[in-house]
Amino acid sequence: KNASQAEIKSAFRKLAKQYHPDVNKTAEAEAKFKEIGEAYATLGDEQKRKQYDQFGHEAYTSGAQGGFGGFGNGGFSSWTTAFDDDIDLGSIFEDLFTGGFGFRSRGRSSKASKGEDLLVRVNIDFLDAVKGTNKEIKLTMDDACDECKGQGGFNEKTCSTCQGRGRVVKMQQTLFGTFQSETTCPDCGGKGTSFENRCSKCRGTGHISKNKTINVEVPAGVDNGSRLRISGKGPAGRNGGENGDIYIEFQVKEHPLFKREGDDIYLEVPIDVATAMLGGEVEIPTIDGNLVVEIKAGTQSLEKQRIKGKGMPILNSNRRGDMYIILKVVVPDKLDKNQKQLLEELRKTDLTNNSEFKTFKKYL
């Protein structure tokens, strides 16, 4: 008894779909479908629902207190007329079945509707994502016909089929009896008007497929999956509705050296053994140009240094991420005679005086 009208309608949709005789071929399906119709004809009407709550099912079946005129007494047509005007039975069946009883939403096609949104994926280079750039993108989309200005024809007049109403009434014979339904006019599509001459270019649709080129300003700092919305530049709407939107999704190509993590950039920098041991200066590339960094004496392989403010621009701000360099000590593949001599002299000294060697030696 506490169920809302939305909950009742949802339950009806579910059960009607389950037991519709065109779908459910079991013997009891037709009887169940009638019961479902009786229930919704009653509970979908506020006044009848109050009577049912007050007098119960006995009053419903016997016709006491005026009765409810259920589905079982008057056939399918009495069920359809039992609903209030604001209950669109046609839209319910359109959701349940395609084809079915032939219901259509009343006048729905005559309403203005926004055009579809369009998603376009665009590949850009890493450094273009850093600096920002301008891209020309070629698209094919549905657009208003320039011959008839999107109308679909010329010399507009009142539709003779529906007399300008946009809807037509038709009778249908079903296994439950004859009933009347109202559908969108097939000739004017619910607009209520038609044309003396149909546009030959768009064949009356008001829309044609067009090739377009749009300029896109790629903002600095875009990343993989970043989207840019271009409002009102997408496919044309229907019946005077506004154009859809274009969404540009960026795919950023990888760089051979720079690796991006969020707004930060990582760079692996090779250094020789002598620089790692003695310290020194190393020139490295950044997204802003070359930079000389100081390497401290005793640097271990894979140590990380932070360079503040040298990362990616942060979208919609004046800030930037950071750059991290990973120092990788690289041993030479080949040594000349002089280098070998020097290293032999070096090996005679104690090169195992750091903490890692000391910890290791405890277990020897």
Side-chain angles (χ1 to χ4, degrees):
K1 289 185 177 182
N2 295 327
S4 67
Q5 282 298 319
E7 291 171 326
I8 290 171
K9 182 179 285 190
S10 175
F12 166 73
R13 289 173 184 264
K14 181 179 179 181
L15 292 171
K17 184 175 182 179
Q18 181 180 350
Y19 289 102
H20 192 284
D22 288 349
V23 176
N24 192 323
K25 301 301 181 182
T26 58
E28 68 274 11
E30 182 176 338
K32 284 281 188 183
F33 190 64
K34 288 182 179 180
E35 290 179 10
I36 295 163
E38 291 174 356
Y40 190 57
T42 300
L43 300 180
D45 182 297
E46 292 290 350
Q47 184 60 36
K48 291 180 181 180
R49 181 178 177 180
K50 289 179 182 177
Q51 291 177 338
Y52 186 89
D53 287 343
Q54 184 177 358
F55 299 107
H57 187 72
E58 182 180 352
Y60 170 73
T61 55
S62 64
Q65 302 299 325
F68 303 124
F71 175 90
N73 297 326
F76 191 84
S77 59
S78 64
W79 175 29
T80 60
T81 56
F83 297 99
D84 289 336
D85 291 340
D86 61 339
I87 300 176
D88 187 355
L89 185 63
S91 67
I92 293 174
F93 275 98
E94 186 180 51
D95 290 342
L96 295 178
F97 312 103
T98 302
F101 286 100
F103 285 99
R104 295 180 184 271
S105 299
R106 299 177 181 177
R108 185 179 296 175
S109 62
S110 64
K111 294 180 181 179
S113 60
K114 182 183 175 182
E116 295 181 355
D117 292 337
L118 194 62
L119 175 63
V120 182
R121 290 182 174 87
V122 176
N123 295 319
I124 59 173
D125 291 329
F126 184 88
L127 293 180
D128 285 338
V130 172
K131 303 294 184 181
T133 187
N134 182 279
K135 296 279 286 186
E136 277 195 352
I137 302 173
K138 294 181 179 180
L139 303 171
T140 301
M141 70 176 71
D142 197 26
D143 200 7
C145 176
D146 50 12
E147 187 74 22
C148 63
K149 310 302 181 186
Q151 297 300 308
F154 308 94
N155 301 323
E156 191 173 22
K157 63 179 182 178
T158 300
C159 177
S160 58
T161 302
C162 66
Q163 304 303 317
R165 294 180 63 247
R167 300 190 296 273
V168 293
V169 176
K170 67 177 182 178
M171 304 295 292
Q172 280 191 292
Q173 184 70 38
T174 74
L175 57 92
F176 300 113
T178 302
F179 68 97
Q180 177 179 294
S181 64
E182 194 174 72
T183 65
T184 301
C185 176
D187 291 337
C188 68
K191 293 176 63 178
T193 59
S194 59
F195 299 97
E196 290 184 6
N197 304 108
R198 189 177 72 164
C199 178
S200 59
K201 186 171 184 178
C202 66
R203 297 183 179 180
T205 64
H207 296 81
I208 57 175
S209 182
K210 281 187 178 179
N211 296 322
K212 287 188 172 183
T213 300
I214 60 173
N215 290 312
V216 177
E217 290 289 338
V218 181
V222 296
D223 199 356
N224 276 319
S226 295
R227 286 189 178 183
L228 176 67
R229 177 189 176 194
I230 305 176
S231 180
K233 297 296 184 182
R238 304 288 174 176
N239 299 316
E242 62 182 358
N243 285 26
D245 302 329
I246 299 176
Y247 288 87
I248 307 295
E249 183 176 283
F250 298 104
Q251 301 293 325
V252 182
K253 297 178 183 177
E254 291 187 1
H255 191 276
L257 290 181
F258 302 121
K259 305 299 178 185
R260 178 176 181 173
E261 291 187 15
D263 297 315
D264 296 329
I265 291 177
Y266 287 77
L267 174 67
E268 192 173 90
V269 179
I271 60 174
D272 60 68
V273 176
T275 302
M277 295 173 68
L278 302 175
E281 293 182 339
V282 175
E283 187 176 20
I284 65 169
T286 74
I287 59 176
D288 299 313
N290 291 349
L291 180 70
V292 175
V293 294
E294 191 73 27
I295 307 298
K296 69 179 187 296
T299 293
Q300 302 298 311
S301 190
L302 302 184
E303 275 193 20
K304 182 167 69 174
Q305 288 188 22
R306 175 191 178 198
I307 306 175
K308 189 174 180 180
K310 289 294 183 180
M312 293 292 295
I314 299 175
L315 278 172
N316 303 317
S317 76
N318 294 322
R319 297 179 293 117
R320 289 178 59 171
D322 298 326
M323 182 176 182
Y324 292 89
I325 58 173
I326 311 299
L327 300 170
K328 182 178 180 181
V329 180
V330 178
V331 177
D333 295 328
K334 295 181 180 180
L335 298 173
D336 60 27
K337 186 177 180 179
N338 185 49
Q339 289 172 324
K340 287 181 179 180
Q341 239 178 2
L342 291 172
L343 286 174
E344 287 294 343
E345 291 296 323
L346 185 62
R347 186 156 58 178
K348 292 176 183 178
T349 65
D350 184 10
L351 298 174
T352 63
N353 60 354
N354 63 18
S355 59
E356 289 186 40
F357 278 110
K358 291 177 181 178
T359 302
F360 181 76
K361 287 179 180 179
K362 286 183 181 179
Y363 295 92
L364 293 177

